[in-house]
Amino acid sequence: MRPSFCRVLRRLAWVMILLSTALGAGVAQGQANPFATSAGPRTEFDASMALELRSFPRRGELGQDRLQPSAAVEFTLRRDFNGGADSVTLTPFYRFDQRDDHRRRGDLREAFYSHLGSGFEFHAGLRRVFWGQTESKRLVDVLNQVDLVENVDEEDRLGQPMLSLTLLRDWGVLEAYLLPGFRERTFASADGRLSGPFAIDEARGGIRRVARGRVDWALRYSHLIGEVELGLSWFEGTNREPDFAVVGPVEAGVPIRLRPEYGAMSQFGLDAALIRGDWAFKLEALRRGGDAPSHAAFVVGFERTLVGAMGRADLGLLLEYLYDDRGRRTPLLSYANDVFAGLRIGFNDLADSELLAGVIVDHRSGRQVWSLEGSTRIGRHWRLAATARAFAGVSALPAGNLEALLEPGRQWGALVREDYFELELTRFF
Amino acid sequence: MRCSWHALTNAVFTLLMMVLLLWPGAATAREQLEALLADPEAGAEAKGVAVAEAARRVDAGFGDERVAVRMVLHDARGSSSERSIRIATLEGVEEGDRSLILFDAPRDQRGTALLTWNHAERESDQWLYLPSLRRVKKIAARNRSGPFVGSEFAFEDLTAEEVSNYRWRFVGEVACDERRCLEVERFPVESWSGYSRQQVFYDLATLRIERIEYYDRRGDHLKTLLAGDWTRHQDRHWRAGHMDMRNHQTGRRTELIWSDHSFGHGLSPDDFSTAALQRLN
């Protein structure tokens, strides 16, 4: 270890000790885990194995295959010490994919040490953290990079290297993050599907150092105020959403090579939820500045739960409005002026079957992103999940002019041939 | 050695003091209840509330409690499915009780957890933890009237009810199996409840709930809950080891097998926070 790094660590430890002392008012009295049964070390092990088959009605823009079989394993190993006050968590993951070598990879989904103290938590390592409230888009949640090769719904995230301190007080929860590196966004390779005509460099989720002379950090405050659950976040660091530079010439029949560029950003985020009877109102909003022109975005909407509306099943009706003031320059999978309508069904059967169907519509251009996700348990250890996605109302690519995709407002053309149906069978151990 | 002797004398003294303080009081409360129930002038509503409050008082002071539950779900065709959960409850002093439910099995649900804050005067707050997303999600308390994880129990059947959540009506002293029971009708106040009324049968001797008949919002007989296999903890808290909920309209049935009751872990409200919800595994 280099001495300068030690010095930084020592300084950080001091800052954290001072911070926890300074903010000592209203210290929470909780234990590490209310279910902890003994003070001795405890080891827990979970594993799952999944087979996945994606089927595309059409070949890709560059003739990519219609069937994409794949298999994945994930382990979670957790060891507790001191009655759960200290723990180490490791989650190795490996996926094999027959078509896409960006999906042929091992990854540590999480690898971190935790200390749960009285009124504070400390975590160090690769970790995943969730911020936010809305259903159609995870807008303010920028700590973890999107693992797009796993799923284009942006729900899968890569472990972020971090040191984090959480203060639990009666006036709320304050989280402070120091982020010594960041992860590259993963993208499908040109041989894989959902890649359009693009071949994107450095798209394997590698850990990169933050630009020289800069320190990435974030703060989040959250609290239940009356009936409103409020979260405020500030992020200062590397933008997880890259810009793209075209590398080399653009020729027909050959993938367009893009190089992602990660600039700096400052983001203020707000998320809130209010539950009234069977209505849940949700809001996320952000203002982001930095290397790219600054912009604002929000998602606002509600979910209405109807219990017993369909016999035993619970029904959830979702409606959200998505806005992004980048307008036509809003990147793919973000939404400038869209309405999301969704339906959630919890069947309340022995197999815990569930279904979520939804569509995100840009009412000006008519572009629609449809999705249907359902799953059910088979026997005691298996779960079968089906996903369908369709990108409708997208104008087809201009023949021989793939570069047009890079023009504002044309970006969705990349997904015009990428409708798919996926079956996934998972065995839990 | 000297230390433990000291602790022992201390404990015996404390116990003696508690018995001295509580015994006559408890007897008086009991006598008061019996006197009220025997009073022909007293209204059925006042009597109902008195029974509910007495039952609540008998069980008060458990502090915190942990228990493991095996749920066996039977559908009408004879298929069955099992779930394993753990529950931790913190007795509310000024506010309502708080509880945590952690799912251990089936494996695909493992790590999912539910946090509930009951309130006497308004709707409960409830949060669900989804481990695959590391997400804590606040959910509508209205979900409490739906089937809990596919079982015949609604969430509202599983939580310790606040007396103020119902209107009460005392019916009378009746025979139930080989014991004497107090029959009380109760009517949910909250509009989201799945029931129009319930008939509750309290064991006369212990005031524990032996049986509940549930009537749906249309007033039709929906379910019967039978509790049995009782054990007594800390000399006063009765807990059922077996519960059986039969749905008469669908022919479905759910059994709950309760085990490993334990009390007094020194849990605090902060163990029942959204932060704690994320670190149960």
Side-chain angles (χ1 to χ4, degrees):
Chain A
M1 205 181 280
R2 296 201 318 281
S4 62
F5 186 63
C6 289
R7 210 157 44 222
V8 170
L9 266 186
R10 213 173 309 139
R11 202 171 301 163
L12 188 79
W14 273 112
V15 167
M16 289 191 167
I17 288 166
L18 284 175
L19 205 66
S20 25
T21 322
L23 298 168
V27 173
Q29 295 298 318
Q31 301 183 356
N33 180 345
F35 290 109
T37 46
S38 70
R42 189 175 59 118
T43 306
E44 279 199 36
F45 181 74
D46 279 312
S48 67
M49 218 174 72
L51 292 171
E52 182 191 282
L53 182 67
R54 282 180 179 173
S55 161
F56 297 78
R58 293 199 273 175
R59 280 184 168 271
E61 201 60 57
L62 302 171
Q64 291 99 329
D65 286 288
R66 290 179 48 206
L67 279 182
Q68 186 179 22
S70 157
V73 284
E74 186 175 283
F75 300 95
T76 302
L77 185 72
R78 205 191 129 88
R79 192 159 165 84
D80 280 1
F81 313 90
N82 307 325
D86 295 279
S87 67
V88 173
T89 306
L90 278 177
T91 311
F93 166 85
Y94 182 79
R95 178 178 289 285
F96 177 81
D97 188 287
Q98 202 182 337
R99 308 285 181 218
D100 187 345
D101 70 339
H102 288 186
R103 276 165 63 93
R104 220 170 287 155
R105 54 157 186 172
D107 181 41
L108 268 178
R109 307 310 265 173
E110 289 192 310
F112 64 92
Y113 158 79
S114 290
H115 175 75
L116 310 176
S118 171
F120 76 97
E121 294 178 6
F122 174 75
H123 306 276
L126 287 174
R127 235 179 120 223
R128 284 181 289 192
V129 173
F130 189 103
W131 295 354
Q133 296 287 358
T134 55
E135 297 298 316
S136 54
K137 175 81 185 162
R138 282 163 69 174
L139 197 65
V140 303
D141 193 2
V142 289
L143 217 50
N144 293 93
Q145 181 57 275
V146 176
D147 193 6
L148 210 56
V149 291
E150 278 300 310
N151 200 329
V152 287
D153 66 1
E154 300 192 328
E155 292 282 353
D156 288 83
R157 302 286 165 126
L158 295 168
Q160 164 67 39
M162 66 170 76
L163 292 170
S164 76
L165 180 73
T166 303
L167 298 175
L168 312 167
R169 297 292 184 271
D170 46 17
W171 43 260
V173 176
L174 188 66
E175 297 154 71
Y177 301 90
L178 190 74
L179 314 164
F182 73 98
R183 306 286 301 263
E184 295 161 353
R185 187 167 287 205
T186 62
F187 294 97
S189 72
D191 298 329
R193 291 307 304 260
L194 293 144
S195 56
F198 299 117
I200 297 170
D201 291 349
E202 296 159 356
R204 291 169 174 271
I207 300 182
R208 281 219 245 159
R209 286 188 58 168
V210 168
R212 203 167 273 283
R214 220 178 58 215
V215 180
D216 284 9
W217 56 273
L219 276 177
R220 179 174 158 86
Y221 168 75
S222 54
H223 195 39
L224 179 68
I225 300 169
E227 288 174 78
V228 178
E229 189 146 82
L230 182 72
L232 299 171
S233 53
W234 182 268
F235 177 93
E236 190 74 50
T238 310
N239 194 338
R240 273 51 174 149
E241 196 173 76
D243 280 329
F244 295 99
V246 181
V247 184
V250 177
E251 295 166 47
V254 178
I256 304 174
R257 241 183 95 196
L258 299 179
R259 193 182 62 240
E261 290 171 347
Y262 297 90
M265 74 166 189
S266 309
Q267 176 181 303
F268 171 71
L270 178 147
D271 57 88
L274 167 68
I275 314 276
R276 269 286 159 84
D278 41 16
W279 295 81
F281 301 94
K282 299 161 183 190
L283 167 72
E284 287 190 30
L286 66 77
R287 170 97 204 155
R288 185 185 291 173
D291 290 348
S294 57
H295 81 277
F298 66 81
V299 182
V300 64
F302 66 82
E303 173 163 4
R304 182 161 186 221
T305 309
L306 303 169
V307 174
M310 292 171 43
R312 294 179 67 76
D314 298 337
L315 206 64
L317 305 173
L318 297 127
L319 197 65
E320 289 179 358
Y321 174 68
L322 302 95
Y323 174 80
D324 190 314
D325 74 359
R326 286 174 292 186
R328 289 158 60 81
R329 293 182 183 278
T330 303
L332 206 55
L333 304 176
S334 285
Y335 304 91
N337 186 13
D338 284 58
V339 172
F340 163 73
L343 178 71
R344 189 202 307 277
I345 304 176
F347 288 92
N348 286 315
D349 56 351
L350 297 187
D352 291 312
S353 307
E354 53 193 26
L355 188 81
L356 178 63
V359 60
I360 301 179
V361 184
D362 174 357
H363 51 88
R364 227 168 323 183
S365 74
R367 191 258 306 121
Q368 301 145 36
V369 179
W370 290 86
S371 68
L372 182 74
E373 298 166 25
S375 69
T376 189
R377 184 169 46 248
I378 298 175
R380 285 172 61 195
H381 300 291
W382 298 81
R383 195 153 187 98
L384 181 69
T387 306
R389 279 186 222 291
F391 308 93
V394 180
S395 42
L397 290 182
N401 182 14
L402 294 180
E403 213 172 354
L405 280 180
L406 302 169
E407 291 166 12
R410 302 295 287 271
Q411 54 274 57
W412 285 91
L415 293 173
V416 74
R417 302 170 68 89
E418 306 288 353
D419 299 350
Y420 71 95
F421 177 73
E422 177 189 296
L423 273 180
E424 186 189 44
L425 183 64
T426 308
R427 168 75 158 88
F428 292 87
F429 298 92
Chain B
M1 197 60 209
R2 205 183 55 182
C3 207
S4 61
W5 175 247
H6 185 70
L8 193 69
T9 48
N10 234 339
V12 168
F13 179 73
T14 317
L15 209 69
L16 269 172
M17 287 305 290
M18 278 175 65
V19 169
L20 279 173
L21 283 170
L22 290 173
W23 184 258
T28 321
R30 179 87 213 179
E31 282 160 15
Q32 275 174 356
L33 176 66
E34 278 168 15
L36 178 68
L37 295 184
D39 181 0
E41 300 289 300
E45 180 153 5
K47 289 180 181 178
V49 170
V51 172
E53 276 175 351
R56 181 109 180 133
R57 210 161 38 234
V58 161
D59 198 40
F62 67 83
D64 62 68
E65 177 178 359
R66 280 198 321 226
V67 64
V69 189
R70 198 159 63 87
M71 309 177 74
V72 188
L73 283 55
H74 305 273
D75 72 7
R77 288 166 302 186
S79 309
S80 69
S81 165
E82 283 195 25
R83 285 122 171 75
S84 297
I85 60 178
R86 281 178 281 169
I87 306 177
T89 309
L90 179 74
E91 183 177 14
V93 183
E94 281 157 30
E95 272 286 277
D97 292 354
R98 293 184 176 190
S99 72
L100 275 167
I101 298 180
L102 175 63
F103 289 81
D104 290 323
R107 300 296 270 191
D108 60 339
Q109 307 289 321
R110 190 179 147 97
T112 304
L114 191 66
L115 168 67
T116 308
W117 293 359
N118 284 330
H119 303 293
E121 301 302 330
R122 61 182 176 93
E123 265 178 32
S124 312
D125 288 310
Q126 202 163 52
W127 294 265
L128 183 67
Y129 177 63
L130 303 163
S132 59
L133 290 175
R134 310 285 182 276
R135 178 176 187 182
V136 172
K137 186 178 171 181
K138 197 161 192 294
I139 57 174
R142 172 79 207 257
N143 292 350
R144 293 158 54 100
S145 66
F148 178 64
V149 294
S151 75
E152 296 316 306
F153 284 84
F155 191 82
E156 62 177 310
D157 306 337
L158 284 171
T159 44
E161 59 285 322
E162 307 293 328
V163 174
S164 61
N165 293 160
Y166 300 91
R167 285 190 300 109
W168 300 81
R169 195 174 77 84
F170 180 70
V171 178
E173 197 180 309
V174 295
C176 55
D177 291 332
E178 283 127 49
R179 6 174 145 257
R180 301 295 297 167
C181 279
L182 296 173
E183 184 189 343
V184 178
E185 274 188 313
R186 62 184 184 191
F187 307 86
V189 173
E190 293 186 75
S191 59
W192 48 256
S193 172
Y195 311 112
S196 56
R197 72 183 169 105
Q198 299 169 7
Q199 281 169 290
V200 187
F201 296 85
Y202 293 91
D203 175 53
L204 181 60
T206 59
L207 291 179
R208 61 195 194 199
I209 295 176
E210 299 279 334
R211 176 157 75 100
I212 303 180
E213 303 288 347
Y214 296 89
Y215 294 84
D216 66 17
R217 293 172 69 94
R218 284 192 305 263
D220 296 332
H221 194 194
L222 179 63
K223 302 188 292 194
T224 300
L225 171 71
L226 290 176
D229 201 1
W230 292 95
T231 47
R232 196 161 66 148
H233 303 266
Q234 297 189 323
D235 285 333
R236 49 197 290 246
H237 304 297
W238 285 96
R239 294 292 181 266
H242 186 266
M243 287 185 187
D244 182 294
M245 182 76 94
R246 277 170 197 276
N247 187 318
H248 305 295
Q249 296 180 1
T250 62
R252 290 170 180 252
R253 190 179 145 223
T254 297
E255 290 175 88
L256 301 186
I257 295 106
W258 303 75
S259 61
D260 303 328
H261 286 277
S262 61
F263 294 83
H265 309 93
L267 300 182
S268 75
D270 298 313
D271 290 311
F272 295 81
S273 65
T274 51
L277 185 60
Q278 297 173 58
R279 54 191 210 197
L280 298 180
N281 282 305

